[in-house]
Amino acid sequence: MASSPVPTPTASVPLPEADPDLAPRNTSATRLASAPTAVSLERVNKWYGAFHVLRDVDLTVRKGERIVICGPSGSGKSTLIRCINRLEEHQAGRIVVDGIELTNDLKRIDEIRREVGMVFQHFNLFPHLTVLENCTLAPIWVKKMPKAEAEAIAMRYLTRVKIPNQAHKYPGQLSGGQQQRVAIARSLCMAPKIMLFDEPTSALDPEMVKEVLDTMVGLADEGMTMLCVTHEMGFARQVADRVIFMDEGQIVESNTPDAFFRAPQHERTRLFLSQILH
Amino acid sequence: MTAGPMTAGAQPLTFVRREAVPAAPPPSLVAGPLAWLRQNLFSSPANAAMTLAALAVIALVVPPLLRFLVIDAVWTGENRDACRPEVIGRPVGACWAFVANKINYFIYGSYPIEERWRPNVFFVLMAFGVGWMLWLDAPKRAWGALYFFVVFPVLSYGLLAGVPVLGLPSVPTSLWGGMLVTLLVSLVGIVASLPLGILLALGRRSRLPIVRLFCVIFIEFWRGVPLITVLFMANVMLPLFLPGDVTVDRLVRPLVGIALFSAAYMAEVVRGGLQAIPRGQTEGAMSLGLSPWHRMRLIILPQALRIVIPGIVNSFIALFKDTSLVSIVGIFDFIRTIESARVDPAWAAPTVVMTGYAFAALFYFVFCFGMSRYARFMERRLAAGQTR
């Protein structure tokens, strides 16, 4: 795969003098330097029973930053992004999303979930509702939006993910790739500031992976803040500002895609990459 | 194996089709009535034997049944003489004259004759409300629900029990009877048990230990006790626990007992449905910011209840038939009115008893079969387009 045409700094140290508006894609350090923080995790720890699944995870995500998280199964990457919208509860440390700290306060959790969209490996569409109803449900019930307005917005996003003509079908009648694009549209209907992707292409047939990735690339081009757990390394190279490698509940390596793939720093990362890049 | 040009390259492959084969109509051997018979009834020697055996059973059972119920039946008459073979000089089948003569008693029990328009109005109100609820495309179903769950019960109570202030003389429940009581008890049981059952099922899956414990104890208690015991306890023991001046109506007591009893069964049915919904559904709804109440109402329950429609209807049907047990605590439900009418000396004839029971069977069958068919219709309709 060709590396990015733009020369990228190999170190992840941000360059403070850059103008975010002029920077082309993948010069993450320059574009993001002055962007405000979208998500910050400080010494986050989580246990499943006695199993220590997240160990002292520190991570700061800037607004507009695209992060790809990879790592072997069981390394805690899904758990990490599920903590960000409180599908999982962390037991120690601080998680601040869009300026709101995650605590047990249910009101705040709901506020954060409204701001954070999530796309799941198994889509988690509602099979008893049509595609359109899937998309309008949350705007109508959570944002109290009038039905007509919610439907107009839903149709706009369904058009964006290129399936407006399937709006009145049920999810079960669509292909996996179409279902995942509906799931993306459903999240976008809530106008989220941050999007979380939990292995969005892992359950898809190979010929459907591309249509979902294309949608995600389009989203990245519009400046959406994205955290993606994925093993699509082509996607990582193309859009990520940063690639994070996790193992045994810790962030082992965090670097620009170019540096990450060209010169991985840790032995564990090299082993992982050699196993997934055939 | 056929020898062919297996090697690719410049040489063309001979065995590859160049155009798609158009769909052809099936040969006559696989379609049409004869093919159907052959496929379904005589596909194998064992199947053919079973088909013949079934035909033999039908031939044995149906003609005598028809003879009794229709051909030899007596349709009109004023008293036992109409149904006595020695009087009318022919074999006598079902004595429908007896049913026709007693039909008002079967419908109203001992409800005062001059007030029987009131149960009639109640039946109309009930049919109206049930129809409004069951017709899924009916206009203003929210109003229908308000009518059915609030207006109709209040109105019915006033109507049947009486409001002396408004000029409706009060009729004590001891005079109510027949189909009126059977339908009333079933309706209250069905309408109360589903929401109660849903609440208990949710409580049993709650994360709060006190709520869960309460629900488990409640469900296991009612499931562990026979309905007859519940009815006896409601009738005999409940007054012992209440202060002396408080009396609960003798019809209300078993009514509450039946509702709680079937709610416990309903809870387990609903719980089965809840367990079948994957965790991802809740997570998907959570990630969109839906509140727990909305998640339950809009996502989980509609799917869970659809899955358990057969179980719910099964419970409803069982409940409908179990209401006949209230007769043992002295309530004149439909079965009890038949029991007491059949011993009337004015109608002492050989087939009167059988006719009474046949009529009861017909009544229960019509309602239960109706429920069953409606449930099938509902399942098919809700399943439209939704394949998992």
Side-chain angles (χ1 to χ4, degrees):
Chain A
M1 192 167 287
S3 62
S4 168
V6 183
T8 49
T10 46
S12 61
V13 184
L15 304 175
E17 72 274 17
D19 179 353
D21 289 332
L22 297 176
R25 180 195 277 178
N26 258 10
T27 52
S28 56
T30 53
R31 184 169 56 83
L32 298 166
S34 57
T37 304
V39 181
S40 84
L41 288 82
E42 289 168 34
R43 303 186 71 77
V44 171
N45 281 277
K46 175 171 177 61
W47 289 262
Y48 285 130
F51 178 58
H52 199 171
V53 58
L54 292 181
R55 308 182 191 178
D56 276 342
V57 172
D58 283 296
L59 177 67
T60 303
V61 183
R62 303 250 171 226
K63 200 168 176 312
E65 193 172 16
R66 281 101 46 166
I67 294 184
V68 164
I69 303 171
C70 58
S73 82
S75 59
K77 48 196 195 305
S78 282
T79 308
L80 178 72
I81 68 165
R82 287 160 61 88
C83 279
I84 293 173
N85 68 350
R86 235 331 142 95
L87 291 185
E88 304 285 351
E89 197 176 327
H90 61 286
Q91 276 105 32
R94 252 164 66 88
I95 299 180
V96 181
V97 181
D98 197 35
I100 307 167
E101 185 178 354
L102 270 175
T103 59
N104 282 325
D105 185 348
L106 288 177
K107 263 215 154 68
R108 286 189 187 182
I109 294 174
D110 279 346
E111 253 175 78
I112 286 173
R113 284 181 183 156
R114 253 171 280 164
E115 306 281 311
V116 180
M118 185 156 195
V119 175
F120 299 86
Q121 181 178 0
H122 296 288
F123 329 135
N124 295 357
L125 293 175
F126 308 130
H128 63 302
L129 302 176
T130 62
V131 164
L132 187 65
E133 287 165 340
N134 263 280
C135 292
T136 56
L137 185 84
I140 289 174
W141 291 95
V142 179
K143 288 191 163 173
K144 313 283 175 219
M145 194 183 279
K147 193 175 171 211
E149 190 187 341
E151 284 182 351
I153 291 176
M155 285 314 294
R156 202 159 74 223
Y157 283 113
L158 286 174
T159 309
R160 244 200 67 176
V161 300
K162 302 193 179 71
I163 34 178
N165 48 342
Q166 315 279 6
H168 296 286
K169 287 193 182 169
Y170 287 93
Q173 297 167 301
L174 306 185
S175 73
Q178 290 174 323
Q179 290 192 46
Q180 193 60 297
R181 284 183 283 151
V182 172
I184 293 173
R186 180 177 75 174
S187 285
L188 293 179
C189 284
M190 286 295 281
K193 293 181 180 162
I194 301 161
M195 285 288 286
L196 308 175
F197 292 84
D198 189 359
E199 306 211 22
T201 56
S202 304
L204 297 178
D205 289 338
E207 75 266 30
M208 293 169 184
V209 169
K210 186 170 181 299
E211 62 189 56
V212 171
L213 288 180
D214 285 347
T215 309
M216 290 167 67
V217 170
L219 209 54
D221 284 342
E222 286 170 26
M224 175 66 77
T225 311
M226 292 165 70
L227 279 96
C228 314
V229 172
T230 181
H231 292 149
E232 293 295 333
M233 291 303 141
F235 173 78
R237 271 189 223 262
Q238 192 185 349
V239 304
D241 297 307
R242 225 180 339 151
V243 180
I244 285 174
F245 177 71
M246 284 187 75
D247 191 24
E248 296 185 339
Q250 297 155 77
I251 293 181
V252 173
E253 188 155 349
S254 163
N255 218 330
T256 61
D258 192 49
F260 182 85
F261 292 112
R262 195 160 36 78
Q265 302 296 304
H266 290 264
E267 184 51 41
R268 189 68 195 81
T269 317
R270 275 196 284 273
L271 184 64
F272 177 75
L273 285 176
S274 74
Q275 276 162 347
I276 64 162
L277 300 174
H278 320 286
Chain B
M1 262 195 50
T2 348
M6 294 304 287
T7 46
Q11 207 169 9
L13 293 167
T14 344
F15 291 101
V16 176
R17 232 180 233 295
R18 295 190 186 279
E19 62 280 314
V21 182
S28 59
L29 278 179
V30 300
L34 262 179
W36 185 89
L37 275 182
R38 198 212 305 250
Q39 251 173 31
N40 292 288
L41 300 180
F42 298 99
S43 62
S44 68
N47 194 353
M50 274 190 281
T51 303
L52 294 177
L55 285 175
V57 170
I58 291 173
L60 268 171
V61 171
V62 171
L65 207 61
L66 270 183
R67 173 172 294 275
F68 177 83
L69 290 176
V70 181
I71 299 168
D72 286 347
V74 175
W75 300 90
T76 53
E78 288 309 306
N79 56 40
R80 62 192 288 254
D81 287 341
C83 293
R84 290 169 65 198
E86 65 270 28
V87 174
I88 61 167
R90 67 169 175 93
V92 168
C95 181
W96 296 118
F98 159 73
V99 172
N101 187 266
K102 296 280 186 188
I103 190 71
N104 280 333
Y105 182 57
F106 293 156
I107 295 176
Y108 308 103
S110 308
Y111 210 89
I113 291 172
E114 64 278 12
E115 302 291 340
R116 281 184 181 172
W117 62 271
R118 285 155 61 176
N120 285 339
V121 174
F122 163 76
F123 289 137
V124 171
L125 290 177
M126 179 171 75
F128 179 64
V130 170
W132 201 347
M133 287 285 87
L134 295 190
W135 181 23
L136 299 176
D137 299 320
K140 308 265 181 232
R141 293 188 78 227
W143 288 103
L146 183 74
Y147 165 78
F148 189 69
F149 292 105
V150 180
V151 178
F152 168 62
V154 173
L155 219 59
S156 310
Y157 179 79
L159 194 66
L160 292 175
V163 190
V165 191
L166 297 177
L168 279 179
S170 63
V171 179
T173 52
S174 52
L175 296 180
W176 303 12
M179 294 176 191
L180 170 65
V181 161
T182 293
L183 291 177
L184 189 74
V185 173
S186 311
L187 194 68
V188 171
I190 284 173
V191 170
S193 68
L194 185 58
L196 256 179
I198 292 173
L199 284 181
L200 285 168
L202 293 178
R204 191 163 185 171
R205 286 165 56 88
S206 164
R207 259 189 271 170
L208 309 171
I210 303 292
V211 174
R212 196 171 55 228
L213 189 68
F214 172 81
C215 291
V216 169
I217 291 175
F218 185 95
I219 292 169
E220 297 305 337
F221 171 78
W222 290 100
R223 288 206 305 166
V225 180
L227 183 55
I228 294 208
T229 316
V230 171
L231 294 174
F232 277 132
M233 284 200 304
N235 228 30
V236 182
M237 288 170 64
L238 191 67
L240 300 179
F241 295 112
L242 293 172
D245 50 344
V246 178
T247 54
V248 179
D249 184 273
R250 55 185 282 288
L251 180 60
V252 172
R253 277 175 268 172
L255 210 59
V256 171
I258 284 185
L260 296 182
F261 184 83
S262 50
Y265 279 88
M266 195 57 73
E268 288 299 283
V269 172
V270 172
R271 191 166 67 94
L274 291 172
Q275 269 168 351
I277 305 301
R279 167 104 185 116
Q281 290 292 303
T282 307
E283 288 181 351
M286 277 163 105
S287 75
L288 291 169
L290 288 165
S291 66
W293 158 245
H294 282 151
R295 293 202 292 268
M296 198 44 78
R297 216 197 85 194
L298 302 169
I299 306 299
I300 308 300
L301 275 182
Q303 296 186 60
L305 291 182
R306 192 195 119 201
I307 295 174
V308 295
I309 285 176
I312 291 176
V313 173
N314 207 21
S315 294
F316 283 170
I317 287 175
L319 167 69
F320 184 70
K321 293 185 293 185
D322 281 352
T323 56
S324 53
L325 285 173
V326 296
S327 62
I328 60 147
V329 290
I331 291 178
F332 272 78
D333 80 319
F334 176 54
I335 286 286
R336 185 71 183 270
T337 56
I338 285 180
E339 283 289 292
S340 64
R342 74 178 172 84
V343 294
D344 181 355
W347 280 96
T351 59
V352 156
V353 176
M354 278 180 276
T355 308
Y357 290 142
F359 181 59
L362 187 70
F363 168 82
Y364 281 103
F365 181 80
V366 165
F367 278 86
C368 294
F369 190 65
M371 281 194 253
S372 165
R373 295 316 298 172
Y374 179 77
R376 275 299 296 149
F377 152 77
M378 184 108 158
E379 266 180 77
R380 271 201 304 272
R381 186 181 144 121
L382 291 181
Q386 300 178 40
T387 42
R388 266 175 196 273

